[in-house]
Amino acid sequence: MNIIVAGGDGFCGWPTALYLSKQGHDVSIIDNTIRRKMDDELHSNSITPIASLEERVEKWKELTGKEIRTYNGDLNHYDFLREVLKQEKPDAFVHFAEQRSAPYSMIDREHAVFTQTNNVVGTLNVLYGIREIVPDCHLIKLGTMGEYGTPNIPIEEGFLEIEHKGRKDVLPYPKQPGSFYHLSKVHDSHNIMFACKIWGIRATDLNQGIVYGLETEETKMDPVLTNRLDYDGVFGTALNRFIIQSTIGHDLTVYGQGGQTRGFLNIKDTVRCIEIAANNPADKGEFRVFNQFTEEFSVLDLAKLVQKVAKEEGFDTDIAHLENPRVELEDHFFHAENTKLKDLGLEPHLLTEEVVRNILKAVVDHKDRVIKENVLPQVSWK
Ligand code: NAD
Ligand code: USQ
């Protein structure tokens, strides 16, 4: 298949582009490298040193003989997007290219407006581009489990069968997101569902949980292919953040009670889920939702797991219960369905002490790159 990976310079997109290329797909990347510019804005960095996108694809070609074409541009620029679609004529368009940090979207009005404009307009342009240039192309869009929030009933995969006043229907699952970022994904989902209905576009919305880990088989092949890994209070996510904190002797930053429970998955499963979606496209006009996570954990349980493994590796670290900078439930029911990807062949890499140990060992050599002032959360929801 010809597959475009938009956001292919990012944490999930880069390993996905390599993995799909390795499987024999003809891959190209769209990215405006804005994530690298956000590091400059936030005076932050990836704990792992990362090569430029040009160096990365050149190294991949040198090692495998496989070419990954790159297009440096913004999905918000429709003329640019049209030209890429005309040139590539993709069978699948994998869309990772959004501002993905909840705290970044909550910094102030400008960052909230940027997040929603970047994400919602970008996705709307992709929908128009597919309709105009490649109407059969399968849109594989990254949504988020956080679209659902934390309702007091089990979370289904996109739709809920309900009975009301004696009548039954299957309706989109109610959305109660917890940040302007998570809201941008809800707005995207509505736009995609509508475009499928009116224009017959085929789309898969992957409501992904929190991704942990660093490397895949492909990114491990050479230091130039190394993936980015965020640890700072804005882009760093639970688990990865805790592992890195443990290596520098920082208390593990559990927000509030730590009973916040979420779906998680290994980066190795992210790349496989994309392949599964691409190999099993949605039908024309179908808007399909898969919950893309493999296990559920509370933040406190993850901190305890990291503390135990870190101690065995010689890093003594405490768990701190910080005042929660977010507005969210800290003790709640959480159970979400995640059978659709497994039914199509996903064999999850589950979280074990060994997995935590391997991530820790992969980052410890770079611990001197951590900018300590960036570790504590600085963005407040209130
Ligand atoms: P990332 O920030 O590392 O990568 C996103 C990439 O998209 C960056 O390289 C950025 O430069 C690019 N980009 C952003 N806006 C763009 C635009 N308008 N035009 C072109 N390129 C643009 O993020 P990530 O962690 O790789 O996440 C990828 C996707 O997966 C996001 O949509 C995110 O919401 C979703 N997701 C991520 C996680 C996670 O834990 N990392 C979990 C669930 C869902
Ligand atoms: N948390 C802590 N301590 C920390 C960091 C986070 O207790 O140091 C808590 C948060 O308060 C929250 C939970 O851990 O309750 C998850 O926070 P996170 O920063 O790991 O994840 P989140 O903000 O939800 O966003 C991340 C990605 C986003 C993706 C989302 C998937 O940045 O792109 O959409 O995970 S999900 O959470 O399923 O919506």
Side-chain angles (χ1 to χ4, degrees), residues 2-49:
N2 179 307
I3 304 183
I4 289 181
V5 179
D9 188 41
F11 170 63
C12 297
W14 173 239
T16 300
L18 294 187
Y19 182 74
L20 294 174
S21 173
K22 177 93 168 290
Q23 307 308 310
H25 298 296
D26 187 12
V27 176
S28 55
I29 286 175
I30 297 178
D31 205 300
N32 62 354
T33 63
I34 192 160
R35 179 67 193 86
R36 293 176 187 249
K37 292 166 197 145
M38 286 166 178
D39 275 343
D40 297 339
E41 177 199 347
L42 300 168
H43 306 291
S44 189
N45 59 350
S46 158
I47 187 174
T48 45

Side-chain angles (χ1 to χ4, degrees), residues 219-360:
T219 63
K220 270 199 306 210
M221 285 167 64
D222 189 281
V224 174
L225 303 180
T226 298
N227 201 10
R228 72 167 300 126
L229 192 66
D230 299 305
Y231 64 86
D232 60 285
V234 176
F235 276 92
T237 52
L239 189 51
N240 274 349
R241 225 163 109 65
F242 295 156
I243 294 171
I244 292 164
Q245 289 166 355
S246 76
T247 68
I248 59 162
H250 198 289
D251 290 352
L252 307 186
T253 57
V254 169
Y255 299 163
Q257 295 177 47
Q260 301 94 309
T261 302
R262 302 285 184 270
F264 287 78
L265 74 162
N266 192 308
I267 184 76
K268 292 176 180 165
D269 287 333
T270 293
V271 303
R272 172 74 179 127
C273 288
I274 302 297
E275 182 193 25
I276 289 172
N279 286 346
N280 300 276
D283 292 334
K284 286 283 283 176
E286 184 186 11
F287 172 72
R288 212 171 50 164
V289 182
F290 296 165
N291 291 346
Q292 181 169 315
F293 72 95
T294 57
E295 292 173 280
E296 297 168 358
F297 298 103
S298 76
V299 172
L300 184 57
D301 283 346
L302 289 179
K304 286 179 179 162
L305 175 67
V306 172
Q307 186 184 35
K308 177 170 187 291
V309 175
K311 190 160 191 196
E312 287 163 11
E313 292 299 310
F315 299 100
D316 241 330
T317 182
D318 289 329
I319 293 176
H321 286 268
L322 304 183
E323 188 187 331
N324 197 335
R326 307 188 182 196
V327 176
E328 61 184 1
L329 296 178
E330 293 173 8
D331 181 18
H332 58 89
F333 171 82
F334 188 86
H335 176 69
E337 292 301 322
N338 63 349
T339 53
K340 290 189 181 176
L341 281 159
K342 286 191 263 188
D343 288 349
L344 289 172
L346 175 66
E347 291 173 12
H349 293 81
L350 298 181
L351 184 63
T352 60
E353 289 182 12
E354 206 44 37
V355 170
V356 172
R357 198 180 316 279
N358 288 339
I359 302 170
L360 191 149

Side-chain angles (χ1 to χ4, degrees), residues 6-14 30-36 38 73-76 80 95-101 114 118-119 122 141-145 181 185 206-212 228 230 235 237 265 292:
D9 188 41
F11 170 63
C12 297
W14 173 239
I30 297 178
D31 205 300
N32 62 354
T33 63
I34 192 160
R35 179 67 193 86
R36 293 176 187 249
M38 286 166 178
D74 188 335
L75 294 185
N76 277 238
F80 158 78
H95 181 10
F96 287 109
E98 298 203 326
Q99 189 304 93
R100 71 110 172 122
S101 158
F114 168 76
N118 185 62
N119 296 0
K141 164 68 169 54
L142 272 292
T144 180
M145 284 301 293
Y181 153 71
K185 297 286 194 186
L206 296 172
N207 283 342
Q208 185 170 239
I210 301 168
V211 184
Y212 62 84
R228 72 167 300 126
D230 299 305
F235 276 92
T237 52
L265 74 162
Q292 181 169 315

Side-chain angles (χ1 to χ4, degrees), residues 182-238:
H182 288 96
L183 272 155
S184 74
K185 297 286 194 186
V186 173
H187 305 326
D188 283 343
S189 294
H190 286 147
N191 285 344
I192 300 167
M193 185 166 68
F194 183 67
C196 289
K197 186 167 78 179
I198 58 172
W199 299 329
I201 284 176
R202 55 177 94 231
T204 304
D205 205 0
L206 296 172
N207 283 342
Q208 185 170 239
I210 301 168
V211 184
Y212 62 84
L214 164 66
E215 300 290 22
T216 59
E217 292 311 311
E218 292 70 46
T219 63
K220 270 199 306 210
M221 285 167 64
D222 189 281
V224 174
L225 303 180
T226 298
N227 201 10
R228 72 167 300 126
L229 192 66
D230 299 305
Y231 64 86
D232 60 285
V234 176
F235 276 92
T237 52

